[in-house]
Amino acid sequence: MHVRKPTIGLAAVLTVTFSLMGGQAVAAPSATASSEVADSAVAARVFTYDASGSAEFRSAVDRGAAIWNESVDAVELRPVATGQRANIRVLADNGWPRALPTTLGNGTVYIGRQAVDQGYNTIRISSHELGHILGLPDRKPGPCSSLMSGSTAGIACTNPYPNTVEKAEVEDNFSSALAHTGGAARSGVMIVD
């Protein structure tokens, strides 16, 4: 036995009922309007960072965030406003640089003085560690042209910019996150280097 679902008839009855009751009928958004909303949502997802604990590395952290803002469209990193909670905390310590992503776009970055004392570039360190928060893994060993090659590029490497593949991966991570398929962030796993 086949049972018919009266969905079209029910929708028509409700529309007539609301119009008779003085209610306002609202048209469903068009495909174009939905597309425009989706495009603006993908345009830039804003994450705030708190570099107040980054000590002498504050300007390097700000520059690292600016580099990501210049490099990708899906994410914008902004300094946190006073009294607000940041998505990303940036701290200076005496260890090796590392990141602890909690979820995509959220976590803690440590700008370790050990690498700086060995001669590694502070802006590259900052950009690299922020890359982990944006869902990128280490790519070791790697050339200087790969930001995520980290320390394997050597102390002479000062390139703080993600390459084309790294940029595309961040864009994809956040497009995937918006589509609820998840990103590449390894939540709760400390990434050293």
Side-chain angles (χ1 to χ4, degrees):
M1 177 173 165
H2 181 69
V3 178
R4 298 180 82 194
K5 295 182 180 176
T7 55
I8 295 174
L10 180 61
V13 168
L14 290 174
T15 302
V16 170
T17 303
F18 285 134
S19 64
L20 291 174
M21 293 173 42
Q24 183 177 0
V26 178
S30 69
T32 304
S34 296
S35 174
E36 289 171 5
V37 170
D39 288 346
S40 67
V42 173
R45 186 139 174 232
V46 176
F47 292 95
T48 57
Y49 67 93
D50 179 358
S52 63
S54 64
E56 70 270 27
F57 306 119
R58 178 70 183 256
S59 63
V61 172
D62 290 337
R63 185 64 193 126
I67 286 167
W68 278 109
N69 291 341
E70 296 165 14
S71 300
V72 295
D73 294 325
V75 178
E76 182 179 344
L77 301 175
R78 290 185 192 162
V80 69
T82 303
Q84 291 184 334
R85 184 174 173 175
N87 299 97
I88 305 164
R89 273 185 45 212
V90 185
L91 305 170
D93 72 2
N94 293 326
W96 195 258
R98 59 205 182 278
L100 179 59
T102 52
T103 57
L104 188 60
N106 296 279
T108 304
V109 164
Y110 298 88
I111 307 294
R113 291 183 182 96
Q114 184 178 357
V116 176
D117 291 346
Q118 290 180 22
Y120 290 95
N121 180 274
T122 57
I123 298 172
R124 179 173 167 86
I125 292 170
S126 175
S127 293
H128 174 91
E129 299 306 332
L130 288 170
H132 288 311
I133 301 297
L134 300 178
L136 298 178
D138 279 321
R139 300 234 162 71
K140 297 177 182 181
C144 184
S145 60
S146 169
L147 174 63
M148 300 315 291
S149 67
S151 63
T152 63
I155 59 172
C157 178
T158 60
N159 170 39
Y161 291 90
N163 64 28
T164 304
V165 172
E166 294 161 339
K167 292 176 195 178
E169 191 173 343
V170 168
E171 299 283 8
D172 186 55
N173 287 346
F174 286 89
S175 294
S176 296
L178 287 172
H180 304 295
T181 59
R186 296 184 292 177
S187 299
V189 175
M190 180 70 73
I191 303 170
V192 178
D193 184 85

